[in-house]
Amino acid sequence: MIDVGASRLARNGLRFAFYGRVSTEDNQDPEASRNWQKSRALTLIEPAGGVIVAEFFDIGMSRSLPWKRRPKANDLLAALTDPNRGFDAVVIGEPQRAFYGSQYSMTMPVFTHYGVGLWVPEVGGAVDPDSEAHDLIMSVFGGMSKGERNRVKIRVRSAMAAQAKIEGRYLGGRPPYGYRLADLGPHPNPGKAADGKRLHQLEPHPEYGPVVQRIFAEYLRGRGHYAIAEALTRDGILSPSQADPTRNRHRTGEGWGKSAVRAILDNPRYTGRQVWNKQRKDEVLLDVENVADGYETKLRWNEEGSWVWSDKIVHEALISVEDFEAAKQIRAAHGHDRKERERIRTKHTYVLRGLLRCGLCGRKMQGQQSGGKPHYRCRYPKDYALANHVQHPDNVYLKEEHLLPVLDSWLAKIFAPHRVGETIRAMAEQATTEAGPKAKAEPESDTARKLAECDAKLETYRAALESGADPVTVSGWIAEVKAERAAVLATARRIQPTPQVQMTDETINNMIQALGDMRVALQRAGREEKARLYSELDLRLTYEPGTKNIRAEMNLDPDINGVTASVRGGT
């Protein structure tokens, strides 16, 4: 937002846009972080007569994300292209928070192209893009930022491994089905205790704990996953997704599934020991051909040998170690001694992965190789024990080779050069019709007043803590106020009115040029490029097995740059 008053004050000096960032990794209060970063920026520019007239501050964004994937940084890049942007240069109070790895070398040329300067405290003023010394300094800070993040990850993971192994500490996450959390009192770290953090431990759930014991007992008696799931559903026992629907919105909630029974049988925490590091977060390149797009985080399973077990029993066991190992041996035998030979995994590209749904149950259809060719299937009744007996075949199959030619023909038809403008206008009109009323934003003064009240309470409680008040009581007060403050900020962000993008003739013409000749692009695109194109078009397909028809829906974002790369650059 441009500060008009500050802009008038800066008529005789430089006008600056301030950029900063804070994330959950930094473990800082967003407002406090913004204040000290802005204060550092002002200390740099005020001696030169500079004034900040615009602010761009990203909250909750990791430093590893490229600028185009941070909302406010992306807004700043867009503002650079506007000749009437209202500022002459950009000031950053902490370059290690703004630039990560090689991000400076990929961002600075954009500043230089549009004639916008970049000021940072580390060079004492404006960065000279032609100076090797400045380039080296900024590159070093990018490397330091990456190194700092990696060191934090290593320290945190090492500490958590030690806490799980030696102390058997519960390290967060949802409790396994059959357990619930028990409060063990304030956190041993005084700072965290003052913030309201508390220690927890698993204890058997009075309703679901016996269900876990029943699952193991029936499995050891020879019943299979599906038979157990069917019996639990028939007896009206809530499945994990039904017992905790708020954390399982991606599940159908119809009944017990084979996967839920299998997950319980595979979970060693039912033996009373804490087990950590079963999963890890990997950062995977979004596009191997374009490293500048950055990474996405994917959750993956670790090998059992890398799991961290507590040295002692730390919570009440639901299953004995002997029963757990016996169930494990049965599963291994059912796998035809799979553990004795190496499993060969072949990666298959499914062009419609995540885009195709079954019209009978609404679930996403899964990719399946059959006869060396890609198919899509829905095994809803095979995976879930349904108490309501949904009318659904055991398997719904669809060959990819039967669908893609029809789909490509439809896309080529509606995006033909003589029809593409009509198609885009029709989609824009439909989006406008379906758009709901916008929430009315709360006045900024009310939000500021509520935040000030919360801050005043926090100062009072901290003063009471320093004067010797009961830390447990005060920490509870602090936690309540912090939660109230976070709710105020979240509400302000949520109800902030979002201007609706108008489909002007210029926008439509730009999209027409970006889409190019869809027919030629589809003919030349490989499988991966075609999959990326479908995803960029926000294509959604529903297969009706009875009529063997496909219902297709699509949405085009006016910012069609990503589609341009997929259509033209992917051939």
Side-chain angles (χ1 to χ4, degrees):
M1 179 181 293
I2 302 294
D3 188 335
V4 178
S7 182
R8 293 196 186 101
L9 292 174
R11 286 174 180 170
N12 299 322
L14 282 176
R15 299 167 302 172
F16 284 87
F18 162 71
Y19 176 72
R21 182 202 61 83
V22 67
S23 75
T24 53
E25 297 171 337
D26 302 310
N27 197 28
Q28 290 193 17
D29 174 65
E31 190 64 25
S33 181
R34 171 189 168 276
N35 288 339
W36 74 255
Q37 290 182 56
K38 185 176 179 181
S39 175
R40 198 162 185 255
L42 287 170
T43 301
L44 175 66
I45 65 174
E46 283 180 341
V51 175
I52 292 176
V53 298
E55 291 189 24
F56 301 86
F57 192 77
D58 276 311
I59 298 177
M61 295 292 110
S62 170
R63 70 183 74 188
S64 65
L65 289 176
W67 276 46
K68 287 189 175 181
R69 291 174 57 198
R70 305 180 202 166
K72 295 303 180 181
N74 188 49
D75 291 346
L76 175 56
L77 292 176
L80 298 181
T81 66
D82 183 5
N84 301 315
R85 67 182 73 90
F87 57 86
D88 310 300
V90 174
V91 60
I92 293 173
E94 177 69 24
Q96 287 170 266
R97 291 178 178 269
F99 300 114
Y100 174 87
S102 60
Q103 288 175 1
Y104 166 77
S105 62
M106 291 184 288
T107 307
M108 189 61 194
V110 180
F111 282 72
T112 304
H113 176 78
Y114 291 106
V116 178
L118 176 65
W119 287 47
V120 297
E122 281 65 22
V123 301
V127 175
D128 183 356
D130 297 323
S131 170
E132 292 184 4
H134 284 192
D135 186 71
L136 177 62
I137 291 173
M138 296 303 295
S139 298
V140 166
F141 276 103
M144 290 174 60
S145 177
K146 185 175 182 178
E148 177 185 350
R149 183 169 180 264
N150 288 336
R151 285 193 299 275
V152 169
K153 288 169 62 176
I154 292 172
R155 286 199 300 267
V156 169
R157 289 185 61 83
S158 298
M160 293 178 73
Q163 290 169 350
K165 179 175 176 58
I166 300 172
E167 302 176 33
R169 184 182 297 184
Y170 176 75
L171 298 174
R174 74 178 69 182
Y177 181 84
Y179 281 111
R180 64 183 181 184
L181 293 182
D183 191 350
L184 292 184
H187 197 283
N189 184 310
K192 293 184 177 182
D195 286 339
K197 300 287 179 62
R198 304 181 71 80
L199 288 183
H200 295 92
Q201 186 182 52
L202 297 177
E203 68 176 11
H205 192 286
E207 184 176 355
Y208 305 132
V211 178
V212 174
Q213 295 170 332
R214 169 180 168 175
I215 289 172
F216 273 89
E218 292 189 4
Y219 189 73
L220 292 175
R221 287 200 299 267
R223 304 193 76 179
H225 297 148
Y226 189 85
I228 295 174
E230 195 172 42
L232 293 173
T233 303
R234 185 174 57 250
D235 293 346
I237 297 173
L238 295 183
S239 67
S241 59
Q242 293 171 317
D244 192 2
T246 57
R247 289 189 175 183
N248 293 277
R249 294 189 178 96
H250 59 297
R251 300 293 184 187
T252 62
E254 294 284 356
W256 279 84
K258 292 192 300 184
S259 59
V261 175
R262 188 183 305 115
I264 289 174
L265 292 170
D266 285 340
N267 196 337
R269 297 169 86 180
Y270 293 120
T271 62
R273 294 184 184 273
Q274 182 61 269
V275 183
W276 180 76
N277 200 39
K278 293 174 64 178
Q279 291 179 302
R280 70 183 186 277
K281 291 181 179 179
D282 284 350
E283 292 185 341
V284 182
L285 283 171
L286 281 173
D287 186 354
V288 178
E289 303 297 331
N290 187 7
V291 179
D293 282 351
Y295 299 83
E296 62 177 338
T297 301
K298 291 190 175 182
L299 199 62
R300 291 175 172 168
W301 288 97
N302 287 323
E303 296 294 333
E304 188 173 345
S306 63
W307 296 359
V308 177
W309 295 66
S310 62
D311 292 335
K312 56 186 178 181
I313 301 294
V314 294
H315 54 259
E316 184 178 340
L318 293 177
I319 303 299
S320 68
V321 175
E322 293 75 20
D323 284 350
F324 181 81
E325 291 297 331
K328 186 176 178 180
Q329 292 298 323
I330 294 174
R331 292 196 304 281
H334 286 173
H336 305 293
D337 294 328
R338 186 174 292 158
K339 64 178 182 177
E340 299 296 332
R341 53 191 174 92
E342 186 70 20
R343 294 185 65 186
I344 300 175
R345 294 183 179 272
T346 304
K347 181 180 179 181
H348 299 286
T349 299
Y350 295 96
V351 178
L352 300 175
R353 183 189 296 273
L355 307 179
L356 181 62
R357 290 184 178 272
C358 174
L360 297 176
C361 63
R363 296 180 73 213
K364 290 182 180 179
M365 298 182 70
Q366 301 170 326
Q368 170 74 26
Q369 290 289 316
S370 180
K373 295 183 179 180
H375 291 60
Y376 297 91
R377 70 175 184 179
C378 180
R379 293 166 43 95
Y380 192 53
K382 291 286 187 181
D383 291 332
Y384 286 87
L386 301 178
N388 54 1
H389 300 290
V390 171
Q391 297 300 315
H392 194 299
D394 286 347
N395 285 285
V396 173
Y397 272 100
L398 177 63
K399 288 185 178 181
E400 188 179 270
E401 63 181 14
H402 289 170
L403 174 56
L404 291 190
V406 178
L407 177 60
D408 290 349
S409 176
W410 174 69
L411 289 173
K413 181 179 179 181
I414 66 173
F415 287 117
H418 66 284
R419 291 190 60 185
V420 63
E422 176 187 346
T423 298
I424 295 174
R425 286 187 177 89
M427 294 174 68
E429 291 174 2
Q430 182 69 15
T432 303
T433 302
E434 294 177 353
K438 300 293 182 182
K440 185 176 180 181
E442 185 181 50
E444 292 186 10
S445 58
D446 289 348
T447 300
R449 176 181 54 78
K450 292 178 180 179
L451 291 175
E453 291 175 355
C454 291
D455 291 339
K457 290 180 181 178
L458 287 174
E459 289 300 324
T460 302
Y461 295 156
R462 284 173 181 145
L465 192 63
E466 292 175 358
S467 63
D470 179 29
V472 175
T473 303
V474 176
S475 63
W477 297 343
I478 291 176
E480 291 177 2
V481 177
K482 282 194 170 184
E484 180 183 348
R485 194 180 192 282
V488 172
L489 288 172
T491 302
R493 286 194 295 269
R494 184 175 65 252
I495 66 176
Q496 184 176 5
T498 303
Q500 186 173 346
V501 178
Q502 298 296 323
M503 282 285 194
T504 64
D505 289 339
E506 181 181 359
T507 302
I508 293 174
N509 289 331
N510 290 339
M511 294 176 71
I512 292 173
Q513 294 297 321
L515 286 167
D517 192 333
M518 181 68 72
R519 186 187 302 274
V520 174
L522 290 171
Q523 288 175 347
R524 296 180 179 178
R527 294 180 60 80
E528 292 186 359
E529 290 80 8
K530 189 175 289 190
R532 192 158 57 245
L533 170 60
Y534 291 159
S535 179
E536 292 287 354
L537 291 175
D538 195 13
L539 195 62
R540 288 160 288 177
L541 306 172
T542 304
Y543 176 53
E544 302 290 350
T547 60
K548 295 186 178 180
N549 288 334
I550 295 286
R551 185 174 69 253
E553 300 176 67
M554 184 172 50
N555 177 54
L556 277 181
D557 192 318
D559 182 10
I560 199 74
N561 292 332
V563 176
T564 307
S566 297
V567 174
R568 292 183 176 172
T571 58

